Amino acid sequence: MAVTGIGLVTSAGIGVQASWQGVCAGISTARRDPNLAGLPVDISCTVPGFDPGKHVGRRSSLIHDRFVQLAVTAAREAVADAGLDPHTWDGARVGIVIGCGVGGVATGEAQLRTSLQNGPRAVSALLIPMLVPNMVAGHLGIELRATGPNLVTATACASGATAIGTAMQLLGDGSCDVVVAGGSEAAVTPLITTGFAQMGALSANTDDPAAASRPFDAGRDGFVIAEGSGILILERASDARARRAGIRATIAGFGASADAHHMTTPDPEGKGTRQALLTALARAGVAPDEVDHVNAHGTSTPLNDAAEGRMLRAVLGDRAAVTSTKGVVGHALGAAGAIEAAFTALALQTGTIPPTANLEALDPGIDLDVVAKEPRRRPIEVAVSNSFGFGGQNAVLVLTRA
């Protein structure tokens, strides 16, 4: 399926150009977060300069949680990038599939405080519509006049990639002609951050936030929580060519699987992730030794990076140039897979692989060609984007150059 439009809102910047330049610079965006002050972990990667009134509309703060605001902003950019107009397209043939792992938790936490302080009658009547994850797709349907299939996928940190895979299926079976697919998350809140910290999933390197997210590094100790949205416009390649649309990349294969191992710990042998990768490669008609680049899940946690590294080495060998863009933009949970799919498409289009930020000493147990220090420029024909989530839910996308 052809990627004809991309929209991005990340901690590296608002818009595709700013986000891409940021990840290629290889400088972490992590910093102390005043909204997390006083917590054991008080660092995050949030979107700089985001103004709902400016980027979405003056009523947005009254009706949207931040995870919806980020998605609307990214979707508008993606639709414009694809050269499409919601005022003229056949909305019944346009689907919306968005990945989201958590939903409007900022609104939920704020309204709980209101209830405890001022009583239940002070709670907003819009609490539920602002809280539940499905509303991100619902609002995009309203925004874009899209009346086709409309749904949210929730496979934890694989949600965004699962959404893109689901969009491919809707296009493949003829249910839609265009699908707005991706992910959005804005869960950098005191409660959610504390929950991840209590699990030991977050980096405790709060004295040096910019060095905290260090995928594949021997000194890694956890991820930095982030927010963001990545939206892709998908069409059948024949339809895109017929309307002479620009094609940034092609999504050629999708594989999904379950570890069936543990609720939070990855299978150390990588059986589930290996299955997802091999399925995606087979559906794309690509041999493992044809993969040029991998945008790894690469969370910067000790267990995930080790398991993923072993799996990639076993399936792909050491030919592919591997990176984790989470070193720059942190881990945006349910949005991560979509953001990384967008970065993978841009890598194919530009022949540029962003570096893995903060990689100073590669873990000796990870025998891969991990790009570090500076971008690597090389022709890329085939790339893989990995996304793995709690619950052992895995999603892998194979992309090829247009």
Side-chain angles (χ1 to χ4, degrees):
M1 300 301 170
V3 179
T4 57
I6 297 176
L8 284 168
V9 180
T10 73
S11 59
I14 300 170
V16 168
Q17 183 177 4
S19 292
W20 182 240
Q21 287 178 345
V23 295
C24 287
I27 300 172
S28 172
T29 60
R31 54 193 175 272
R32 277 212 158 78
D33 187 334
N35 293 319
L36 304 178
L39 299 181
V41 175
D42 61 355
I43 61 175
S44 70
C45 294
T46 54
V47 179
F50 186 78
D51 180 346
K54 172 184 175 183
H55 293 105
V56 185
R58 63 182 181 84
R59 293 185 63 247
S60 178
S61 295
L62 300 176
I63 61 173
H64 298 141
D65 184 87
R66 189 175 175 91
F67 83 113
V68 173
Q69 295 167 345
L70 300 179
V72 169
T73 303
R76 287 175 179 171
E77 181 184 30
V79 170
D81 185 46
L84 294 169
D85 184 352
H87 291 87
T88 60
W89 65 20
D90 180 359
R93 301 295 300 165
V94 179
I96 309 283
V97 189
I98 305 298
C100 183
V102 182
V105 289
T107 295
E109 289 181 32
Q111 288 299 306
L112 177 59
R113 289 192 295 270
T114 295
S115 177
L116 294 174
Q117 292 168 6
N118 303 315
R121 293 189 179 279
V123 172
S124 170
L126 293 179
L127 167 61
I128 300 305
M130 293 176 73
L131 172 68
V132 291
N134 77 292
M135 289 304 294
V136 65
H139 277 296
L140 287 182
I142 296 167
E143 167 79 18
L144 300 175
R145 305 184 181 198
T147 60
N150 187 290
L151 62 147
V152 164
T153 56
T155 52
C157 300
S159 298
T162 302
I164 294 168
T166 302
M168 292 177 66
Q169 294 166 351
L170 290 173
L171 290 165
D173 69 15
S175 296
C176 301
D177 295 326
V178 176
V179 182
V180 180
S184 191
E185 201 84 272
V188 184
T189 69
L191 183 61
I192 298 300
T193 303
T194 298
F196 279 117
Q198 290 292 93
M199 293 174 62
L202 299 184
S203 172
N205 188 13
T206 57
D207 291 336
D208 188 5
S213 183
R214 42 195 326 110
F216 302 117
D217 191 85
R220 68 189 184 278
D221 72 331
F223 69 80
V224 176
I225 193 168
E227 63 178 6
S229 180
I231 303 292
L232 284 66
I233 305 300
L234 301 185
E235 305 175 57
R236 286 179 288 272
S238 57
D239 293 344
R241 287 193 292 267
R243 70 177 186 88
R244 298 181 180 178
I247 299 177
R248 288 186 176 271
T250 298
I251 301 183
F254 169 65
S257 70
D259 284 356
H261 170 71
H262 187 271
M263 61 183 176
T264 57
T265 302
D267 179 351
E269 297 181 15
K271 289 181 288 187
T273 57
R274 179 189 181 108
Q275 177 183 322
L277 174 55
L278 289 173
T279 298
L281 290 170
R283 289 177 175 167
V286 170
D289 62 3
E290 294 179 288
V291 176
D292 301 307
H293 167 48
V294 177
N295 190 309
H297 186 54
T299 57
S300 183
T301 57
L303 293 179
N304 174 84
D305 289 9
E308 184 177 15
R310 286 191 295 268
M311 184 277 291
L312 288 174
R313 175 67 188 196
V315 177
L316 304 180
D318 62 356
R319 177 179 181 274
V322 178
T323 195
S324 171
T325 45
K326 288 184 177 76
V328 173
V329 297
H331 191 353
L333 309 179
I339 291 169
E340 289 155 17
F343 287 150
T344 306
L346 294 168
L348 283 158
Q349 185 179 21
T350 63
T352 304
I353 300 171
T356 303
N358 296 319
L359 181 55
E360 301 296 335
L362 183 65
D363 183 331
I366 296 174
D367 188 14
L368 297 171
D369 176 16
V370 183
V371 179
K373 306 299 183 185
E374 59 185 14
R376 184 180 301 177
R377 291 175 174 83
R378 57 171 286 186
I380 308 169
E381 297 296 330
V382 180
V384 165
S385 182
N386 287 338
S387 298
F388 312 138
F390 285 166
Q393 294 172 310
N394 308 306
V396 176
L397 298 166
V398 174
L399 292 84
T400 57
R401 192 160 69 90

